[in-house]
């Protein structure tokens, strides 16, 4: 991610964002709590303060399981009526068929929704157990690979949901021709939106459709990453045939190189003495 970026600003005192425990460093900001921190405050009688209704907005790293845990903690103290947790977006995670992921925690977007002709958006939904999160977390921001993977899932989901014929949905194979990414700012564990603008698409043959899209990951009204992609959606049987042929060619080429290397540098037998 770029170094030339503005510092994250503290939230307003009347705004509470809930983030996953994995983002504890970011929770040092005013108006941000991790799931465990919020539950502890509730149990200790320190939350909510005052008599007004409190609204909690989930950021990244929060699951429906986490939200239920917080609600149960509130209910045990008779406070459920004073806290509204806006978790609607967590119920809209894209499904396996259009996101091309087998495990729900690896799906990074909600179901795409149309904004206007050719433009679609989805909410960013980063699960703490997501595969990209498993081995890299530094500082307060989220790694740039999350933006790239969210963009990849987004253009596939948009193609599946809005452009491919019904019989092709869930039975198409996507091949990326070019995928360029430009990072504009750090991406923090706050609500964010992924946008996809389909610039062009055509079907030169009934077995394939080509796309040219521009995407962005937006947070707080500004783009944190901008992406441009060209890809083709193939019928699965056609793609498997092409892939098998390519695999065989690659195997033959690698075998030929290994044979040439062996001929140029024959193995020497080393005799070891006690």
């Amino acid at each position: 991610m770029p170094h030339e970026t503005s510092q994250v600003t503290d939230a307003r005192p009347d705004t509470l964002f809930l983030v996953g425990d994995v983002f504890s460093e970011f929770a040092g900001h005013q108006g941000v709590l991790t799931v465990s921190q919020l539950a502890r405050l509730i149990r200790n009688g320190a939350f909510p303060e005052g008599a007004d209704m409190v609204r909690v907005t989930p950021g990244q790293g929060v699951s429906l399981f986490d939200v239920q845990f917080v609600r149960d903690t509130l209910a045990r103290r008779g406070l459920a009526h004073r806290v509204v947790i806006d978790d609607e977006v967590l119920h809209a995670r894209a499904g396996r068929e259009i996101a091309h992921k087998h495990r729900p925690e690896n799906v990074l977007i909600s179901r795409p929704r149309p904004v206007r002709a050719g433009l679609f958006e989805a909410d960013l939904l980063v699960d703490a157990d997501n595969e990209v999160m498993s081995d890299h977390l530094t500082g307060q921001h989220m790694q740039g690979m999350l933006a790239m993977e969210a963009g990849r899932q987004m253009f596939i989901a948009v193609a599946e949901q809005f452009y491919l014929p019904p019989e092709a949905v869930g039975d198409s194979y996507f091949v990326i021709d070019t995928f360029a990414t430009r990072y504009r700012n750090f991406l923090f564990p706050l609500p964010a939106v992924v946008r996809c603008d389909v610039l062009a698409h055509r079907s030169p043959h009934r077995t394939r459709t080509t796309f040219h899209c521009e995407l962005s990951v937006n947070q707080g009204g500004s783009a944190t990453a901008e992406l441009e992609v060209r890809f083709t959606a193939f019928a699965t049987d056609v793609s498997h045939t092409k892939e098998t042929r390519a695999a065989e060619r690659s195997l033959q080429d690698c075998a030929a190189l290994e044979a040439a290397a062996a001929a140029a540098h024959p193995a020497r037998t080393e005799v070891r003495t006690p």
Side-chain angles (χ1 to χ4, degrees):
M1 298 291 286
H3 293 290
E4 59 276 14
T5 181
S6 58
Q7 293 292 323
V8 62
T9 56
D10 288 337
R12 299 190 310 273
D14 59 346
T15 300
L16 177 62
F17 290 104
L18 185 65
V19 300
D21 289 350
V22 69
F23 298 116
S24 58
E25 187 170 348
F26 183 76
H29 291 274
Q30 182 182 2
V32 183
L33 290 173
T34 68
V35 172
S36 293
Q37 288 172 344
L38 178 56
R40 185 164 54 250
L41 288 175
I42 296 169
R43 287 194 297 265
N44 292 341
F47 181 90
E49 296 179 341
D52 296 333
M53 183 75 70
V54 177
R55 187 178 185 86
V56 176
T57 299
Q60 306 303 328
V62 179
S63 67
L64 286 171
F65 189 75
D66 292 327
V67 171
Q68 190 58 52
F69 168 61
V70 172
R71 286 193 170 124
D72 289 344
T73 306
L74 287 165
R76 282 193 294 271
R77 293 192 60 85
L79 298 170
H81 65 288
R82 292 188 52 198
V83 179
V84 175
I85 304 178
D86 185 12
D87 65 342
E88 181 178 356
V89 66
L90 297 178
H91 292 271
R93 193 178 297 272
R96 172 174 170 172
E97 190 172 57
I98 64 172
H100 287 210
K101 286 293 181 181
H102 290 274
R103 301 179 64 88
E105 65 268 24
N106 291 332
V107 177
L108 288 170
I109 59 171
S110 68
R111 292 186 296 272
R113 51 191 178 267
V115 177
R116 57 168 171 75
L119 181 63
F120 307 87
E121 66 178 24
D123 296 290
L124 182 68
L125 300 174
V126 178
D127 191 285
D129 292 326
N130 182 273
E131 57 190 343
V132 181
M133 293 279 293
S134 65
D135 198 31
H136 177 72
L137 185 65
T138 57
Q140 301 178 44
H141 69 282
M142 299 189 296
Q143 55 266 45
M145 285 302 297
L146 284 168
M148 292 185 66
E149 174 60 14
R152 189 190 70 84
Q153 291 183 21
M154 182 65 174
F155 69 70
I156 290 175
V158 165
E160 291 272 28
Q161 190 170 340
F162 297 102
Y163 288 91
L164 298 183
E167 63 272 14
V169 175
D171 193 34
S172 295
Y173 194 90
F174 290 79
V175 176
I176 298 173
D177 300 310
T178 62
F179 196 1
T181 304
R182 181 184 179 93
Y183 292 104
R184 294 288 188 180
N185 206 338
F186 286 127
L187 178 64
F188 294 103
L190 293 169
V193 172
V194 185
R195 307 192 91 187
C196 177
D197 193 355
V198 181
L199 303 180
H201 69 96
R202 66 188 187 92
S203 299
H205 189 273
R206 62 178 180 81
T207 62
R208 65 183 183 273
T209 304
T210 62
F211 292 85
H212 178 201
C213 302
E214 288 182 348
L215 301 101
S216 61
V217 179
N218 302 279
Q219 191 168 73
S222 300
T224 64
E226 296 172 338
L227 311 95
E228 182 179 4
V229 62
R230 295 176 186 269
F231 65 97
T232 302
F234 288 94
T236 300
D237 56 345
V238 173
S239 67
H240 283 177
T241 300
K242 289 178 176 290
E243 187 177 31
T244 298
R245 290 174 180 170
E248 290 173 349
R249 286 195 300 270
S250 182
L251 180 59
Q252 292 168 2
D253 292 342
C254 288
L257 283 176
E258 288 297 316
H265 304 285
R268 292 179 299 177
T269 302
E270 296 185 2
V271 179
R272 297 180 178 272
T273 56

